[in-house]
Amino acid sequence: MNSDHGHLTSDIAVRKAEHIDLVLNADVEFRRSTGLDGFEFVHEALPELALKEIDSTTELFGRALRAPVLVSGMTGGTPLAGQINERIARAVAAAGLGMGVGSQRISFERPELIETFQVRRFAPHALLIANLGAVQLNCGVTPDDCRRLVESIEADALASRLNPLQEVTQPGGDTDFRASSPRLPRSAARWDCR
Ligand SMILES: Cc1cc2nc3c(=O)[nH]c(=O)nc-3n(C[C@H](O)[C@H](O)[C@H](O)COP(=O)(O)O)c2cc1C
């Protein structure tokens, strides 16, 4: 990987801390409807089934889930982010669910921060999804780099984040999205993954 992001290293760590701070302390709640409020559950008075017959379990990337629920990838790369990932891992392990970590891009330049993403020991059997922005494939990241990201946290899959709007609005964002779409399947093919 070419490291023309050298000057961004600290920026990324600062940005990760800012993201957490914003969510915890700023008024960033999503205001508009998600559309889910358009749905209503109708009480079924004569259900003709036993609760024990309802099976919400499923399997994803070879991992059993007690229900199709994932805690989406959010963070990593700072001590606080590491604590958050640990707590999420302990919670999904207890609940039999799955989780993702936030973008691991910082770990290319700051390998010592990989530990803030390494939650496998807190959730030995849980579905764990690694994470990297798809645009990084345009910034010199290779499919083998991606494989190393997954292996570095003993993850079961890699989430390739498609976030051009965030990249163009954040300082130091990567904004060359050309050829991303063909690069993704080509990378996945290199991995022989789904
Ligand atoms: C603090 C924070 C950091 C995030 N960082 C990432 C990230 O690194 N990679 C990613 O794929 N998604 C990231 N996300 C997006 C979430 O995974 C999720 O897609 C988003 O929050 C929308 O889901 P929600 O409406 O349930 O919050 C982040 C979200 C938050 C709140």
Side-chain angles (χ1 to χ4, degrees):
M1 175 183 164
N2 62 30
S3 58
D4 58 359
H5 287 149
H7 71 289
L8 282 178
T9 303
S10 59
D11 293 350
I12 305 178
V14 170
R15 206 159 50 220
K16 286 286 171 184
E18 284 170 355
H19 285 175
I20 296 171
D21 181 53
L22 280 170
V23 169
L24 292 178
N25 304 313
D27 180 12
V28 292
E29 268 312 304
F30 189 61
R31 290 261 175 286
R32 291 182 26 220
S33 158
T34 62
L36 288 174
D37 46 12
F39 294 89
E40 208 178 306
F41 289 108
V42 179
H43 176 244
E44 175 56 75
L46 289 170
E48 289 301 330
L49 58 80
L51 183 60
K52 66 175 189 251
E53 291 171 337
I54 297 176
D55 177 6
S56 64
T57 64
T58 186
E59 190 193 296
L60 188 61
F61 301 127
R63 295 283 180 184
L65 297 166
R66 251 194 245 147
V69 176
L70 279 179
V71 178
S72 191
M74 284 183 283
T75 196
T78 73
L80 174 59
Q83 285 174 25
I84 293 171
N85 278 337
E86 174 183 338
R87 290 185 190 147
I88 295 172
R90 289 182 185 280
V92 297
L97 304 176
M99 70 171 283
V101 296
S103 170
Q104 296 162 255
R105 177 177 140 196
I106 195 169
S107 59
F108 287 130
E109 293 149 17
R110 300 269 308 272
E112 76 279 9
L113 293 172
I114 287 176
E115 63 182 12
T116 63
F117 300 93
Q118 290 175 324
V119 295
R120 182 50 84 196
R121 64 191 183 283
F122 308 116
H125 311 295
L127 171 62
L128 178 61
I129 301 178
N131 191 287
L132 187 71
V135 73
Q136 296 311 313
L137 294 170
N138 281 0
C139 303
V141 172
T142 66
D144 288 338
D145 292 325
C146 296
R147 177 192 295 277
R148 275 191 287 279
L149 277 186
V150 170
E151 289 166 355
S152 71
I153 66 167
E154 301 169 63
D156 306 296
L158 174 71
S160 196
R161 185 179 195 195
L162 305 175
N163 63 333
L165 181 58
Q166 184 184 357
E167 292 292 343
V168 294
T169 52
Q170 71 186 5
D174 291 302
T175 56
D176 179 356
F177 310 111
R178 289 168 299 179
S180 303
S181 33
R183 256 205 191 101
L184 271 175
R186 269 209 308 272
S187 304
R190 279 278 302 277
W191 278 25
D192 181 31
C193 60
R194 282 149 285 177

